[in-house]
Amino acid sequence: MDCIFCKIAAGEIPSKKLYEDDAVLAFADIEPKAPVHVLVIPKQHLPSAAAVTAETADVVGHIYTVIASLCAENGWNSYRVVTNVGPDAGQTVPHLHFHILAGRTLGEMG
Ligand code: 5GP
Ligand code: ZN
């Protein structure tokens, strides 16, 4: 599949990895929008959070455990987790990903 995040998960495109296991990868965003900007993805291709079902919900729960430990280990104790669904929300890569943003005052959403 021609998906940039599948290629990153497979190691075909290099990334700055912060965490990896069989199901999940966390890596630095190439165009950081905050001093800390990490992307956490399932290695399995899911197009967005809108595609999560009972069958795939486990990996989302696992991603949140990875986010909690990664942030705790790095001392990021105030952060925002965002997942965009669809172009109006700003989704540019159609592979489910969670942004972790930290290191500055993030302001209101919108
Ligand atoms: P979205 O806009 O879909 O919510 O988020 C996609 C994110 O992926 C953007 O923040 C963008 O900077 C990041 N991104 C796009 N291509 C690459 C890449 O090749 N490597 C890395 N590390 N990040 C990427
Ligand atoms: Zn993919």
Side-chain angles (χ1 to χ4, degrees), residues 2-18:
D2 195 21
C3 167
I4 193 163
F5 285 0
C6 281
K7 287 179 180 164
I8 286 175
E12 290 162 19
I13 293 176
S15 66
K16 192 182 159 202
K17 293 179 188 178
L18 285 93

Side-chain angles (χ1 to χ4, degrees), residues 76-99:
W76 307 327
N77 45 34
S78 185
Y79 54 88
R80 183 171 291 165
V81 180
V82 176
T83 189
N84 296 320
V85 177
D88 284 354
Q91 185 180 11
T92 57
V93 178
H95 179 129
L96 176 62
H97 53 282
F98 295 81
H99 299 256

Side-chain angles (χ1 to χ4, degrees), residues 58-77:
D58 279 2
V59 75
V60 177
H62 180 50
I63 281 172
Y64 270 92
T65 71
V66 168
I67 289 170
S69 357
L70 190 63
C71 291
E73 280 161 18
N74 285 285
W76 307 327
N77 45 34

